[in-house]
Amino acid sequence: MLKKKERYVVAVVGATGAVGNEMVKTLDQRDFPVERLKLFASERSEGKIMEFRNKDILVEPLNNNSFEGIDIALFSAGAERSKTWAPVAAQSNCIVVDNSSQWRMDPEVPLVVPEVNPYDLKWHKGIIANPNCSTIQMVVVLKPLHDAAKIKRVVVTTFQAVSGTGQKAIDELLQQTADLLNFKEVKCNVYPYQIAFNVLPHIDKFLENGYTKEEMKMVNETKKIIGDNSIRITATTVRVPVFRCHSESLNIETEKKLTANEVRAILSQAPGVIVYDAPDKNIYPIPIDAAGKDETYVGRIREDDSIENGINMWIVADNLRKGAALNAVQIAEKLIEMA
Ligand SMILES: NC(=O)c1ccc[n+]([C@@H]2O[C@H](COP(=O)([O-])OP(=O)(O)OC[C@H]3O[C@@H](n4cnc5c(N)ncnc54)[C@H](OP(=O)(O)O)[C@@H]3O)[C@@H](O)[C@H]2O)c1
């Protein structure tokens, strides 16, 4: 468990990446009580300098002694690095909040969204997993509806930004867009097809059951976070040429009937959720409005006439903030609250 202190020594592992950069920003913006910040990345970034609270910080490669004296480490350097280094950090009494998929479904590791299951932080053994970005924004909306009316089934289709793949994908969308507008040939390095002016129904690897790993993450992680294996979920995950913010179309079937107005009332009270829903004024969530924001925006709330107890909605959140960096920092804040 974390010892109560005035300020903490914090590390960001993968600091030069899309999520790592956002973590450094988020720690600053939320006035996180940082005594000292250590930044780690690969050997490619050795010697790079990043700024935090008007101080230059040297980016370092990891070694076996990197975590000595560090209280909390926010990891966002990919599953392989988490597999190797999170246990090393935990051995040094450093609590790891890990953004990768490495530990999420490990029964010994809590998978936490602070608005949904903060109580699971009590049983961590040194590593806490941050869920997948598309799962986080979905569960902050599902949990209050599940508490009110017990969710039976969810059908979700996602429209996911390229920043969900990391910095290289952001660069690829920019480059392809510029090349196409200049009548140049397009190069594809990150995705199997051109992503500029295109839509790919393919996120992460295909599995034997025909789903992708991303789709199965949404199914399995949701059950673990909400703590109810009886919820049936089916997902289709789609990459779209948007830089930031994932959008999701949700169809939810509940045991107890909820009207659209009841759903609006429940979600208006839900932590981390903003109901943004006035179709008569063209008000609904869109990525360019939600970018850089902390909350999950919900709109297009309507009853599904094709089933007895069904609700449709559209939700948008910033994948780099609530989907990654912010959720990790909120977990660290909760740990401090509980210390
Ligand atoms: N992007 C999202 O929306 C999102 C959301 C939830 C979770 N995640 C997860 O967060 C992790 C990072 O994602 P990202 O989008 O930020 O990727 P990214 O932009 O590609 O950044 C990857 C980071 O990992 C570092 N790294 C690579 N190899 C390393 C090594 N051997 N030792 C130390 N650091 C190393 C990179 O350092 P260099 O710059 O030196 O290469 C870079 O800082 C992934 O596990 C991803 O699944 C991402």
Side-chain angles (χ1 to χ4, degrees):
M1 283 293 155
L2 193 68
K3 284 203 192 104
K4 190 87 186 158
K5 289 184 182 177
E6 279 280 300
R7 312 191 85 73
Y8 297 84
V9 183
V10 179
V12 175
V13 178
T16 52
V19 174
N21 251 295
E22 199 65 34
M23 283 172 164
V24 174
K25 248 193 249 169
T26 308
L27 287 168
D28 182 32
Q29 287 165 349
R30 293 177 71 87
D31 275 330
F32 194 89
V34 178
E35 164 80 41
R36 190 158 50 90
L37 183 66
K38 297 276 287 177
L39 301 178
F40 297 103
S42 80
E43 284 173 358
R44 290 179 293 274
S45 299
E46 198 173 351
K48 197 172 167 182
I49 303 282
M50 288 175 70
E51 204 187 286
F52 179 71
R53 294 184 180 158
N54 299 321
K55 273 199 189 133
D56 286 346
I57 302 180
L58 186 67
V59 178
E60 300 169 58
L62 288 166
N63 66 50
N64 280 322
N65 304 321
S66 294
F67 299 99
E68 276 169 22
I70 293 178
D71 300 303
I72 305 169
L74 309 178
F75 270 60
S76 72
E80 273 307 304
R81 266 68 64 189
S82 296
K83 187 177 175 185
T84 311
W85 294 105
V88 175
Q91 274 287 313
S92 306
N93 283 329
C94 163
I95 300 180
V96 173
V97 182
D98 182 39
N99 250 278
S100 82
S101 56
Q102 177 59 37
W103 305 101
R104 289 181 191 150
M105 294 312 295
D106 186 322
E108 298 288 301
V109 174
L111 181 65
V112 176
V113 176
E115 293 90 339
V116 177
N117 60 334
Y119 38 80
D120 281 325
L121 287 173
K122 285 192 199 129
W123 55 269
H124 82 81
K125 299 181 173 71
I127 304 175
I128 297 148
N130 208 55
N132 178 42
C133 40
S134 39
T135 308
I136 295 178
Q137 70 183 71
M138 182 166 77
V139 295
V140 294
V141 169
L142 292 186
K143 180 61 166 45
L145 300 177
H146 189 58
D147 290 345
K150 193 161 186 345
I151 294 173
K152 284 165 68 178
R153 181 169 185 252
V154 180
V155 181
V156 54
T157 305
T158 69
F159 304 73
Q160 296 182 225
V162 294
S163 54
T165 317
Q167 192 54 49
K168 283 191 184 132
I170 299 172
D171 298 341
E172 182 149 304
L173 174 57
L174 261 177
Q175 189 62 50
Q176 287 183 353
T177 307
D179 286 346
L180 282 161
L181 295 177
N182 285 291
F183 306 100
K184 287 190 190 157
E185 202 187 311
V186 163
K187 290 195 191 79
C188 304
N189 295 314
V190 176
Y191 301 116
Y193 298 100
Q194 172 189 320
I195 184 64
F197 307 101
N198 204 4
V199 163
L200 309 177
H202 173 187
I203 299 187
D204 210 328
K205 293 190 185 99
F206 281 104
L207 302 170
E208 268 179 21
N209 64 1
Y211 285 83
T212 63
K213 261 178 96 176
E214 182 84 354
E215 287 159 355
M216 293 317 296
K217 282 178 202 167
M218 293 189 80
V219 173
N220 298 326
E221 293 180 18
T222 300
K223 293 178 182 184
K224 179 168 174 179
I225 298 162
I226 295 185
D228 189 341
N229 271 326
S230 73
I231 304 176
R232 284 172 291 155
I233 307 164
T234 185
T236 303
T237 56
V238 180
R239 188 72 66 193
V240 294
V242 164
F243 285 106
R244 236 178 134 126
C245 292
H246 294 345
S247 306
E248 296 177 359
S249 160
L250 292 187
N251 176 263
I252 303 166
E253 188 178 353
T254 51
E255 214 163 88
K256 195 181 135 214
K257 171 86 185 157
L258 286 177
T259 64
N261 275 339
E262 283 168 336
V263 170
R264 277 187 206 102
I266 292 165
L267 295 180
S268 306
Q269 303 295 315
V273 175
I274 290 183
V275 175
Y276 194 68
D277 192 24
D280 53 323
K281 298 188 191 93
N282 288 346
I283 286 181
Y284 39 75
I286 50 174
I288 55 171
D289 286 344
K293 307 269 171 51
D294 288 349
E295 293 81 8
T296 297
Y297 289 79
V298 188
R300 302 290 326 275
I301 298 170
R302 62 213 189 273
E303 284 156 47
D304 173 358
D305 291 338
S306 71
I307 50 173
E308 215 158 289
N309 299 336
I311 287 285
N312 284 310
M313 65 182 67
W314 175 255
I315 66 176
V316 181
D318 189 326
N319 55 297
L320 292 179
R321 282 192 78 86
K322 186 58 190 163
L326 172 67
N327 198 69
V329 173
Q330 286 174 318
I331 289 174
E333 288 169 351
K334 274 272 170 233
L335 289 171
I336 292 178
E337 225 178 279
M338 288 161 55

